[in-house]
Amino acid sequence: MQVRQPTPAVQTLPSPGAIKVACSNCSLRELCLPMGLSPDELARVDAVITTRRKIKRKTPLFRNGERFHALYAIRTGVFKTCVVAEDGRDQVTGFQMAGEIVGLDGIVNDHHTCDAIALEDSEVCVLPFDRIGELSREVGALQHHLHRVMSREIVREHGVMLLLGTMRAEERLAAFLLNLVQRLQARGFSQSELVLRMTRQEIGSYLGLKLETVSRTFSRFAEEGLIEVHQRHVRILEVERLRALLTPAGAA
Amino acid sequence: MQVRQPTPAVQTLPSPGAIKVACSNCSLRELCLPMGLSPDELARVDAVITTRRKIKRKTPLFRNGERFHALYAIRTGVFKTCVVAEDGRDQVTGFQMAGEIVGLDGIVNDHHTCDAIALEDSEVCVLPFDRIGELSREVGALQHHLHRVMSREIVREHGVMLLLGTMRAEERLAAFLLNLVQRLQARGFSQSELVLRMTRQEIGSYLGLKLETVSRTFSRFAEEGLIEVHQRHVRILEVERLRALLTPAGAA
DNA sequence: CGAAAAGTTGATTGTCTTCAAAACTGGTGG
DNA sequence: CCACCAGTTTTGAAGACAATCAACTTTTCG
């Protein structure tokens, strides 16, 4: 996602010349799995995380059915994950960005149960799961982080279930936009401007809506002066009114 | 849940006189966390899991906001877990039965983020999380099981998202019933008869439907001869036609 | 540059929700 | 033990919201 802020928090994301491949000098360190580790613990993690993979736009990082052997930490770019039913309908289960971990679905049966597709040219760190498992037996903080990453994903999905189960179209889209800017802000981007890396169709799939409904709801938000939309470029004009959409009647 | 089969697989669930409190002689051993552990590994787990808690119907095992310190393995009974938004609307995120683990949501922030409520008088084993963590550093199989339990929950929730995002009322209810009997069957109960421990309202919350819609859909299924419904007692008459509801057009 | 993909907007339909009333169930106390 | 009452369930009628169908515009990318 885009629109870098003048006063950024965590930065130097792209690092084009690419220095050493190591968590210890990765700008996402404090957002990613090795968050809060001591220097020597970090060194041990570095020893395990040796490979990166570049994933081209519209290309899978992994696919449903593939053997699971690693988690992936996103360095740059954005991914979507989606599950498909036997009859072909599919559901986007999430959009992941820098510092987030994908692949947790593969642990339970040693095979991935969803697709992870890059929405733009991206780069991930490969975290071989058995090595991570071994190391986390020795480094307590890492073990706890791993548990937290999985637990966080469970809690996130609870939120999505709430959204899908109880919200109307406007509320869903408002929640979606607010979640997005919040995560972007944590990465040093603007809290009011964003570039969607996904199509209306993909947003709709995530939110349990048809693409036409997403489009219409964007238009309505724009008419009401809540946001400004130019294709995938969105500027949030009135965060508070957008937030208010999520607490319709009496906020407890 | 009910209706014990004449030819049961895993059984003696209630154990009324209550023998020793130990995974090693628990009938749910092969369904629960210690699945597949060796006898001496099992003994070490026994040392950590020393307490049980009885939870009365309609009573919370834990509540949103409470400090997290343990996972719970359900021994008998059924629970629901639900999240609530600030504005009060709530969403049932799952129904859990014997052998299943609840409380994973609490790991990430050391506080529970949902309520777990007993739907009938129930009993759980308390798994102190720090002790489990310690032990899983030494017992590799336990570590892996714990990871699998969390991953399984993530995958389960993907399925719920697919349901909430793409299915119509009939499909949702069919999926719900089929999931329920499948899990009951794995526990030695009938694959065609079940007693719902939850209200229409709770089913509706889980499925993203209003209780009236759930009721109507039950009635429609009954009219069509798919099931027989007497209050919370459900008998499945035509599993195949029920399954067929889930693959509407062309099954891939 | 041209074709394919993505997005917008309108009209109509369908499904589920809402509102309402009545019937049933199960638990409690007289 | 029975009556009663709150909670649950069923069913109907009307209304709302999003889906569908369709046409057209804009953008993207080879």
Side-chain angles (χ1 to χ4, degrees), chain A residues 57 168-169 209-210 212-213 216 231:
Chain A
R57 189 170 125 85
R168 292 177 313 107
L209 301 170
K210 293 296 162 185
E212 295 96 326
T213 305
R216 275 185 241 277
Q231 307 94 243

Side-chain angles (χ1 to χ4, degrees), chain A residues 19 36 50 52 73 136 153 211 217 230 252:
Chain A
I19 326 151
T50 56
R52 295 250 183 90
S136 79
E153 177 64 7
L211 66 92
T217 308
H230 297 107

Side-chain angles (χ1 to χ4, degrees), chain A residues 161-167 172, chain B residues 90-92 160 163-165 167-169 172 200-211 213-214:
Chain A
M161 288 168 66
L162 184 75
L163 179 144
L164 291 172
T166 73
M167 292 186 183
R172 295 184 194 197
Chain B
D90 72 331
Q91 169 76 24
V92 171
V160 178
L163 179 144
L164 291 172
M167 293 187 182
R168 290 176 315 106
R172 295 184 194 197
R200 302 289 188 261
Q201 144 77 27
E202 286 163 336
I203 296 171
S205 171
Y206 180 60
L207 299 178
L209 302 170
K210 293 296 163 186
L211 66 93
T213 305
V214 174

Side-chain angles (χ1 to χ4, degrees), chain B residues 44 47-48 50 69 127-136 142:
Chain B
R44 302 185 68 180
V48 161
T50 56
H69 37 70
L127 322 185
F129 189 63
D130 45 3
R131 307 279 328 260
I132 293 284
E134 285 167 23
L135 188 55
S136 79
L142 182 65

